[in-house]
Amino acid sequence: AVVSTQSTGTKDQIDQILKKLRSLPGNKVCFDCNKLNPSWSSVTLGVFICLDCSSKHRNLGVHLTFVRSTELDKWSWIQLRTMQIGGNAAAESRNKRCKLYMLGERTTLPDK
């Protein structure tokens, strides 16, 4: 991957990265409601969400979840990197680990 000192890439570069991320199996459905082909994301949480759920996230406030359109908004490299590291599958795995911990089925949070 090319590292750039620019805060944003070209529209074509960003579109290509987001298209690839959205094509990953876990990202093909909304993280919150499982609707197909989500076109929005919560950069804060690193998940892909549908338009309906994006409005719910916006109502929570940007201090909790920062929402971006994968088709309309400008993205910075750091936001794209957050989505590359995150994704719906990673978030689901993290949620399952936390749930086990909260239910007392684990005494420590496993690393992976």
Side-chain angles (χ1 to χ4, degrees):
V2 176
V3 176
S4 173
T5 57
Q6 297 176 351
S7 61
T8 60
T10 67
K11 176 122 174 73
D12 287 340
Q13 289 172 319
I14 291 169
D15 288 347
Q16 185 178 27
I17 292 168
L18 288 170
K19 183 178 179 180
K20 183 176 181 178
L21 290 174
R22 288 176 58 201
S23 73
L24 297 174
N27 299 337
K28 290 183 178 183
V29 296
C30 174
F31 182 76
D32 290 345
C33 74
N34 293 321
K35 283 185 186 172
L36 291 176
N37 303 313
S39 60
W40 289 78
S41 69
S42 168
V43 178
T44 310
L45 303 175
V47 296
F48 290 88
I49 54 179
C50 69
L51 176 62
D52 292 336
C53 291
S54 74
S55 67
K56 294 174 187 175
H57 279 253
R58 284 192 190 275
N59 288 334
L60 292 172
V62 295
H63 62 291
L64 295 177
T65 175
F66 184 67
V67 177
R68 310 285 307 155
S69 168
T70 61
E71 298 170 347
L72 304 173
D73 289 323
K74 290 185 178 181
W75 286 69
S76 69
W77 287 119
I78 194 73
Q79 290 170 334
L80 288 171
R81 185 65 181 142
T82 300
M83 297 306 295
Q84 288 174 320
I85 293 169
N88 293 6
E92 182 64 31
S93 175
R94 187 173 55 245
N95 284 354
K96 285 180 184 177
R97 289 192 319 268
C98 290
K99 185 176 179 182
L100 289 175
Y101 177 78
M102 297 302 288
L103 292 174
E105 296 177 25
R106 289 190 169 268
T107 55
T108 61
L109 285 172
D111 291 334
K112 293 185 179 185

